[in-house]
mmCIF file of all heavy atoms in Angstrom:
data_model
loop_
_atom_site.group_PDB
_atom_site.id
_atom_site.type_symbol
_atom_site.label_atom_id
_atom_site.label_comp_id
_atom_site.label_asym_id
_atom_site.label_seq_id
_atom_site.Cartn_x
_atom_site.Cartn_y
_atom_site.Cartn_z
ATOM 1 N N PHE I 150 -2.491 24.161 27.305
ATOM 2 C CA PHE I 150 -1.551 24.132 26.191
ATOM 3 C C PHE I 150 -1.788 25.285 25.220
ATOM 4 O O PHE I 150 -0.857 26.002 24.862
ATOM 5 C CB PHE I 150 -1.651 22.791 25.457
ATOM 6 C CG PHE I 150 -0.763 22.721 24.250
ATOM 7 C CD1 PHE I 150 0.603 22.547 24.394
ATOM 8 C CD2 PHE I 150 -1.285 22.851 22.976
ATOM 9 C CE1 PHE I 150 1.434 22.499 23.281
ATOM 10 C CE2 PHE I 150 -0.461 22.796 21.868
ATOM 11 C CZ PHE I 150 0.895 22.623 22.022
ATOM 12 N N HIS I 151 -3.023 25.501 24.813
ATOM 13 C CA HIS I 151 -3.301 26.533 23.807
ATOM 14 C C HIS I 151 -2.942 27.938 24.280
ATOM 15 O O HIS I 151 -2.696 28.826 23.471
ATOM 16 C CB HIS I 151 -4.771 26.466 23.345
ATOM 17 C CG HIS I 151 -5.738 26.992 24.343
ATOM 18 N ND1 HIS I 151 -6.235 26.220 25.373
ATOM 19 C CD2 HIS I 151 -6.296 28.213 24.483
ATOM 20 C CE1 HIS I 151 -7.066 26.959 26.089
ATOM 21 N NE2 HIS I 151 -7.115 28.166 25.575
ATOM 22 N N GLU I 152 -2.867 28.148 25.591
ATOM 23 C CA GLU I 152 -2.547 29.464 26.123
ATOM 24 C C GLU I 152 -1.070 29.834 25.949
ATOM 25 O O GLU I 152 -0.694 30.983 26.147
ATOM 26 C CB GLU I 152 -2.941 29.547 27.595
ATOM 27 C CG GLU I 152 -4.457 29.461 27.783
ATOM 28 C CD GLU I 152 -4.853 29.502 29.235
ATOM 29 O OE1 GLU I 152 -4.899 28.418 29.864
ATOM 30 O OE2 GLU I 152 -5.127 30.622 29.738
ATOM 31 N N PHE I 153 -0.261 28.871 25.565
ATOM 32 C CA PHE I 153 1.158 29.138 25.318
ATOM 33 C C PHE I 153 1.406 29.602 23.878
ATOM 34 O O PHE I 153 2.535 29.879 23.510
ATOM 35 C CB PHE I 153 2.002 27.892 25.621
ATOM 36 C CG PHE I 153 2.148 27.635 27.087
ATOM 37 C CD1 PHE I 153 1.288 26.768 27.746
ATOM 38 C CD2 PHE I 153 3.139 28.272 27.819
ATOM 39 C CE1 PHE I 153 1.422 26.527 29.109
ATOM 40 C CE2 PHE I 153 3.276 28.041 29.187
ATOM 41 C CZ PHE I 153 2.418 27.165 29.820
ATOM 42 N N ARG I 154 0.383 29.703 23.080
ATOM 43 C CA ARG I 154 0.497 30.039 21.654
ATOM 44 C C ARG I 154 1.337 31.294 21.407
ATOM 45 O O ARG I 154 2.222 31.311 20.576
ATOM 46 C CB ARG I 154 -0.903 30.208 21.040
ATOM 47 C CG ARG I 154 -0.940 30.805 19.649
ATOM 48 C CD ARG I 154 -0.491 29.760 18.633
ATOM 49 N NE ARG I 154 -0.643 30.185 17.270
ATOM 50 C CZ ARG I 154 0.296 30.778 16.563
ATOM 51 N NH1 ARG I 154 1.443 31.072 17.103
ATOM 52 N NH2 ARG I 154 0.092 31.091 15.315
ATOM 53 N N ASP I 155 1.098 32.343 22.121
ATOM 54 C CA ASP I 155 1.807 33.606 21.895
ATOM 55 C C ASP I 155 2.821 33.906 22.996
ATOM 56 O O ASP I 155 3.217 35.052 23.194
ATOM 57 C CB ASP I 155 0.795 34.753 21.783
ATOM 58 C CG ASP I 155 -0.077 34.606 20.551
ATOM 59 O OD1 ASP I 155 0.462 34.245 19.490
ATOM 60 O OD2 ASP I 155 -1.306 34.818 20.652
ATOM 61 N N PHE I 156 3.236 32.882 23.691
ATOM 62 C CA PHE I 156 4.171 33.036 24.800
ATOM 63 C C PHE I 156 5.531 33.495 24.288
ATOM 64 O O PHE I 156 6.021 33.015 23.276
ATOM 65 C CB PHE I 156 4.307 31.698 25.533
ATOM 66 C CG PHE I 156 4.822 31.814 26.928
ATOM 67 C CD1 PHE I 156 3.993 32.192 27.966
ATOM 68 C CD2 PHE I 156 6.144 31.540 27.210
ATOM 69 C CE1 PHE I 156 4.476 32.295 29.265
ATOM 70 C CE2 PHE I 156 6.638 31.643 28.504
ATOM 71 C CZ PHE I 156 5.801 32.023 29.522
ATOM 72 N N ASP I 157 6.147 34.447 24.998
ATOM 73 C CA ASP I 157 7.482 34.927 24.650
ATOM 74 C C ASP I 157 8.499 34.124 25.460
ATOM 75 O O ASP I 157 8.713 34.380 26.643
ATOM 76 C CB ASP I 157 7.600 36.416 24.961
ATOM 77 C CG ASP I 157 8.953 36.989 24.589
ATOM 78 O OD1 ASP I 157 9.824 36.242 24.095
ATOM 79 O OD2 ASP I 157 9.148 38.205 24.799
ATOM 80 N N TRP I 158 9.094 33.135 24.818
ATOM 81 C CA TRP I 158 10.007 32.228 25.510
ATOM 82 C C TRP I 158 11.267 32.921 25.997
ATOM 83 O O TRP I 158 11.902 32.445 26.939
ATOM 84 C CB TRP I 158 10.365 31.053 24.604
ATOM 85 C CG TRP I 158 9.145 30.290 24.217
ATOM 86 C CD1 TRP I 158 8.565 30.249 22.982
ATOM 87 C CD2 TRP I 158 8.308 29.501 25.057
ATOM 88 N NE1 TRP I 158 7.423 29.476 23.013
ATOM 89 C CE2 TRP I 158 7.249 29.003 24.284
ATOM 90 C CE3 TRP I 158 8.349 29.163 26.406
ATOM 91 C CZ2 TRP I 158 6.253 28.189 24.800
ATOM 92 C CZ3 TRP I 158 7.353 28.354 26.925
ATOM 93 C CH2 TRP I 158 6.324 27.873 26.122
ATOM 94 N N THR I 159 11.617 34.075 25.416
ATOM 95 C CA THR I 159 12.816 34.786 25.861
ATOM 96 C C THR I 159 12.619 35.401 27.244
ATOM 97 O O THR I 159 13.596 35.721 27.917
ATOM 98 C CB THR I 159 13.220 35.886 24.860
ATOM 99 O OG1 THR I 159 12.162 36.851 24.767
ATOM 100 C CG2 THR I 159 13.507 35.296 23.491
ATOM 101 N N GLU I 160 11.376 35.559 27.663
ATOM 102 C CA GLU I 160 11.092 36.139 28.977
ATOM 103 C C GLU I 160 10.934 35.079 30.065
ATOM 104 O O GLU I 160 10.689 35.413 31.214
ATOM 105 C CB GLU I 160 9.827 36.997 28.910
ATOM 106 C CG GLU I 160 10.021 38.243 28.071
ATOM 107 C CD GLU I 160 8.801 39.137 28.076
ATOM 108 O OE1 GLU I 160 7.868 38.906 28.859
ATOM 109 O OE2 GLU I 160 8.783 40.079 27.279
ATOM 110 N N SER I 161 11.072 33.821 29.714
ATOM 111 C CA SER I 161 10.913 32.732 30.673
ATOM 112 C C SER I 161 12.228 31.966 30.765
ATOM 113 O O SER I 161 12.479 31.033 30.008
ATOM 114 C CB SER I 161 9.788 31.797 30.224
ATOM 115 O OG SER I 161 9.656 30.726 31.112
ATOM 116 N N GLU I 162 13.054 32.373 31.708
ATOM 117 C CA GLU I 162 14.370 31.760 31.877
ATOM 118 C C GLU I 162 14.229 30.363 32.468
ATOM 119 O O GLU I 162 13.472 30.139 33.403
ATOM 120 C CB GLU I 162 15.235 32.618 32.791
ATOM 121 C CG GLU I 162 16.666 32.192 32.871
ATOM 122 C CD GLU I 162 17.455 32.464 31.602
ATOM 123 O OE1 GLU I 162 17.155 33.464 30.929
ATOM 124 O OE2 GLU I 162 18.372 31.693 31.299
ATOM 125 N N VAL I 163 14.969 29.428 31.889
ATOM 126 C CA VAL I 163 15.013 28.057 32.390
ATOM 127 C C VAL I 163 16.441 27.779 32.833
ATOM 128 O O VAL I 163 17.392 28.095 32.122
ATOM 129 C CB VAL I 163 14.596 27.057 31.281
ATOM 130 C CG1 VAL I 163 14.905 25.641 31.672
ATOM 131 C CG2 VAL I 163 13.124 27.197 30.977
ATOM 132 N N TYR I 164 16.564 27.175 34.010
ATOM 133 C CA TYR I 164 17.871 26.829 34.540
ATOM 134 C C TYR I 164 18.010 25.310 34.504
ATOM 135 O O TYR I 164 17.126 24.583 34.954
ATOM 136 C CB TYR I 164 18.029 27.377 35.956
ATOM 137 C CG TYR I 164 17.833 28.876 35.992
ATOM 138 C CD1 TYR I 164 16.600 29.427 36.335
ATOM 139 C CD2 TYR I 164 18.870 29.730 35.622
ATOM 140 C CE1 TYR I 164 16.410 30.797 36.330
ATOM 141 C CE2 TYR I 164 18.687 31.096 35.617
ATOM 142 C CZ TYR I 164 17.457 31.629 35.964
ATOM 143 O OH TYR I 164 17.272 32.994 35.933
ATOM 144 N N VAL I 165 19.114 24.860 33.958
ATOM 145 C CA VAL I 165 19.350 23.438 33.741
ATOM 146 C C VAL I 165 20.354 22.914 34.755
ATOM 147 O O VAL I 165 21.388 23.540 34.993
ATOM 148 C CB VAL I 165 19.889 23.195 32.314
ATOM 149 C CG1 VAL I 165 20.190 21.731 32.072
ATOM 150 C CG2 VAL I 165 18.910 23.732 31.274
ATOM 151 N N ALA I 166 20.038 21.766 35.321
ATOM 152 C CA ALA I 166 20.984 21.071 36.205
ATOM 153 C C ALA I 166 21.707 20.043 35.348
ATOM 154 O O ALA I 166 21.207 18.947 35.119
ATOM 155 C CB ALA I 166 20.250 20.415 37.360
ATOM 156 N N GLY I 167 22.846 20.425 34.843
ATOM 157 C CA GLY I 167 23.596 19.567 33.932
ATOM 158 C C GLY I 167 24.349 18.463 34.639
ATOM 159 O O GLY I 167 24.384 18.398 35.878
ATOM 160 N N PRO I 168 24.949 17.584 33.849
ATOM 161 C CA PRO I 168 25.730 16.479 34.416
ATOM 162 C C PRO I 168 26.787 16.997 35.394
ATOM 163 O O PRO I 168 27.402 18.036 35.180
ATOM 164 C CB PRO I 168 26.390 15.845 33.187
ATOM 165 C CG PRO I 168 25.479 16.192 32.056
ATOM 166 C CD PRO I 168 24.943 17.564 32.384
ATOM 167 N N GLY I 169 26.940 16.259 36.481
ATOM 168 C CA GLY I 169 27.916 16.628 37.498
ATOM 169 C C GLY I 169 27.331 17.454 38.627
ATOM 170 O O GLY I 169 27.933 17.546 39.694
ATOM 171 N N THR I 170 26.160 18.052 38.420
ATOM 172 C CA THR I 170 25.539 18.821 39.496
ATOM 173 C C THR I 170 24.846 17.863 40.469
ATOM 174 O O THR I 170 24.493 16.737 40.114
ATOM 175 C CB THR I 170 24.503 19.831 38.964
ATOM 176 O OG1 THR I 170 23.433 19.101 38.335
ATOM 177 C CG2 THR I 170 25.124 20.804 37.980
ATOM 178 N N THR I 171 24.644 18.320 41.679
ATOM 179 C CA THR I 171 23.980 17.516 42.691
ATOM 180 C C THR I 171 22.581 17.112 42.243
ATOM 181 O O THR I 171 22.169 15.961 42.409
ATOM 182 C CB THR I 171 23.894 18.308 44.023
ATOM 183 O OG1 THR I 171 25.209 18.721 44.394
ATOM 184 C CG2 THR I 171 23.277 17.482 45.121
ATOM 185 N N VAL I 172 21.861 18.042 41.656
ATOM 186 C CA VAL I 172 20.492 17.761 41.202
ATOM 187 C C VAL I 172 20.493 16.711 40.106
ATOM 188 O O VAL I 172 19.712 15.756 40.142
ATOM 189 C CB VAL I 172 19.804 19.063 40.717
ATOM 190 C CG1 VAL I 172 18.483 18.771 40.036
ATOM 191 C CG2 VAL I 172 19.610 20.032 41.878
ATOM 192 N N HIS I 173 21.361 16.856 39.123
ATOM 193 C CA HIS I 173 21.432 15.892 38.021
ATOM 194 C C HIS I 173 21.751 14.498 38.554
ATOM 195 O O HIS I 173 21.142 13.493 38.142
ATOM 196 C CB HIS I 173 22.487 16.330 37.002
ATOM 197 C CG HIS I 173 22.465 15.532 35.756
ATOM 198 N ND1 HIS I 173 23.130 14.338 35.631
ATOM 199 C CD2 HIS I 173 21.846 15.755 34.570
ATOM 200 C CE1 HIS I 173 22.936 13.855 34.420
ATOM 201 N NE2 HIS I 173 22.158 14.696 33.758
#
Side-chain angles (χ1 to χ4, degrees):
F150 177 75
H151 74 275
E152 294 178 272
F153 286 94
R154 169 75 173 93
D155 294 318
F156 201 79
D157 181 359
W158 300 109
T159 62
E160 292 184 10
S161 178
E162 189 71 33
V163 168
Y164 303 97
V165 178
T170 63
T171 305
V172 171
H173 189 275

